[in-house]
């Protein structure tokens, strides 16, 4: 379990979707989550401005839980989304 750059939220896997635009971050997250066990947490790294809308909608529609999001301390264009697989 990793916790780098995110002291309050732990996660099991990371998906780098930086530089990808809608709908690719969500599509890649869906594919990765399929291979993870229920209850596991995915940290999605995204720079797409639409992700702030797309990720919560994706979680609600697919039965996952968005645990939170946090900006990268060194690059404010990147946000980390923490998704618990439903």
């Amino acid at each position: 379990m990793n916790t780098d750059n995110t002291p309050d939220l732990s996660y099991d896997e990371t998906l780098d979707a930086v530089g990808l635009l809608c709908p690719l971050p969500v599509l890649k997250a869906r594919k990765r989550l399929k291979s993870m066990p229920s209850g596991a947490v995915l940290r999605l790294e995204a720079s797409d401005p639409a992700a702030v809308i797309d990720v919560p909608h994706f979680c609600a529609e697919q039965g996952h839980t968005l645990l939170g999001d946090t900006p990268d301390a060194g690059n404010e264009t990147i946000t980390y989304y923490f998704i618990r697989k439903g």
Side-chain angles (χ1 to χ4, degrees):
M1 194 173 293
N2 300 312
T3 57
D4 60 316
N5 292 331
T6 53
D8 297 325
L9 295 170
S10 62
Y11 53 94
D12 301 295
E13 293 190 32
T14 299
L15 175 60
D16 181 356
V18 173
L20 301 178
L21 298 176
C22 178
L24 290 175
V26 167
L27 292 176
K28 289 188 173 288
R30 180 174 64 185
K31 184 176 181 179
R32 177 69 63 87
L33 285 162
K34 282 184 180 182
S35 69
M36 296 172 65
S38 290
V41 177
L42 174 66
R43 181 178 83 163
L44 172 64
E45 303 172 357
S47 57
D48 180 9
V52 70
I53 296 167
D54 294 343
V55 173
H57 183 271
F58 162 74
C59 290
E61 290 294 314
Q62 298 296 312
H64 305 305
T65 303
L66 180 60
L67 300 174
D69 58 72
T70 185
D72 183 296
N75 185 343
E76 61 189 40
T77 64
I78 298 173
T79 302
Y80 301 117
Y81 298 90
F82 297 86
I83 304 167
R84 182 181 309 278
K85 182 176 179 177

